[in-house]
Amino acid sequence: MDTSNTIASDSPQFKIAVIGGGIGGLTLASVLQHAYKIKCTVYELDDTENSRNQGGSLDLHVNSGQLALEKAGLTDQFQKNARYQGQDLIITNKTGKVLYQDSGSDGPTGGDDDRPEIDRTILRHMLIESLEEGTIQWGKKVIKLEEDSKDNGNHRHALTFQDGRTETFDLVVGADGAWSKLRKFVSDAVPFYTGIFFAEVCLTNVDIDHPAASKLVGHGTYIALQDNKGLLCQRNGDGSIRIYVTIRVEENGLSHIDFTNPEGPRNYFLDRFSDWDDTLKVFIKEASSFIPRGFYMLPIDHTWKSHPGVTLIGDAAHLMSPFAGEGANMAMLDGANLAEAISEIVHNGKDLATTIEKFEKDMHEIVVVPAAESAKNMDMFISDDAPEGVVNFFETIQAAGGPPQ
């Protein structure tokens, strides 16, 4: 753990609980400590950093994810692990015909178009290692949040944990993801199913064990689309490729398939993709497992009446589809911006209620555009019009000098 940015012992005692040790919550904690010398405690349900699979690769954007890492003092570490060649993009139809191809760069260009990839596992480890020892409390499940009746209007809240311990905080931040337990404290909104389902596949040691898949995907992202279906493939830095076998289907429409036995989903998807070229079916045929996932999202304009002492960031606040690559970037920006707001309260004596309300208002205004883009892109990628509509989209962006992804 990083001990170079020790929090000053005379810092005001403002107790902050961050519920959830995902990318957003960890970014908040890291920026608080590095930029503002403010303590917080992150409560994470998992027992260890590697208790479960953290997913694939993320592209970090200059004015959100990369900006947050800069405020956390992690730019140099990010540059050591960033994969600029991961910006390569290939789009084909179901015959495997390449309709669009764009090569990324081997290094930073210094422009807003730089969106290098980094494995989520590495990014999360960087953030964890940047924190002071003891900042993260592992294996801590929150079972109740309630206002402290004795706080005399100071907006303090008590958290009760599964182990029976109760502790009171000045500010509780819900960074606990799509199915946030804290969201219901400020909002009645629940994620709704988008109509799109994917099965996640991971092929490991691809250069040796899966050479055909490795050659198709190359250094970056390979996307095959048609007939409301898709094979979304992404190279990771650990020598693996993540594939998302994507279809439109009603909610729970695949409940009859036993995903614990790979042969069940394999046969199902081979049937659904029966008229696709055999070269593309390699991603299904060579899969050792299929992880079922449905796409859920919150309303694009999701807001709530500010509740002093409690707020939300990341997917807990604005769960969106992954088709614009904005979810993690917005969560990291949320964390950095909330850290700045907290510093105004702690160091400059600003009022907690009005400062957090302003943060929330600003967050909603920032996120509504990428949330709308994500929803629009989802319906463009998995549609009757794909891949032509997607190709036209990227060609238009490229002609305008915009970002490749």
Side-chain angles (χ1 to χ4, degrees), residues 141-277:
K141 181 179 181 179
V142 176
I143 60 172
K144 185 165 63 174
L145 168 67
E146 57 187 348
E147 291 189 66
D148 184 354
S149 60
K150 304 174 185 178
D151 73 352
N152 296 317
N154 291 322
H155 314 303
R156 290 168 65 82
H157 289 74
L159 286 173
T160 301
F161 299 90
Q162 192 173 36
D163 60 10
R165 187 170 65 87
T166 298
E167 193 168 351
T168 303
F169 296 89
D170 296 283
L171 179 64
V172 178
V173 181
D176 50 341
W179 302 103
S180 169
K181 300 296 189 296
L182 267 71
R183 185 191 298 124
K184 62 184 179 181
F185 201 84
V186 300
S187 170
D188 293 330
V190 294
F192 62 88
Y193 180 60
T194 63
I196 292 178
F197 173 96
F198 71 80
E200 180 180 343
V201 168
C202 183
L203 302 181
T204 59
N205 194 30
V206 292
D207 292 341
I208 302 300
D209 296 337
H210 306 280
S214 177
K215 184 177 179 180
L216 273 177
V217 174
H219 295 297
T221 298
Y222 179 95
I223 301 174
L225 303 168
Q226 203 154 345
D227 303 333
N228 278 297
K229 295 189 284 285
L231 296 171
L232 317 180
C233 314
Q234 188 179 53
R235 172 84 62 166
N236 287 190
D238 61 357
S240 68
I241 292 174
R242 298 266 175 174
I243 301 103
Y244 304 94
V245 185
T246 310
I247 60 173
R248 283 195 180 271
V249 66
E250 64 272 15
E251 191 171 17
N252 301 318
L254 274 64
S255 59
H256 63 288
I257 297 176
D258 179 11
F259 277 86
T260 64
N261 178 358
E263 294 311 310
R266 188 190 326 280
N267 291 333
Y268 173 83
F269 288 118
L270 285 175
D271 181 63
R272 287 293 299 263
F273 287 79
S274 61
D275 60 339
W276 286 47
D277 192 82

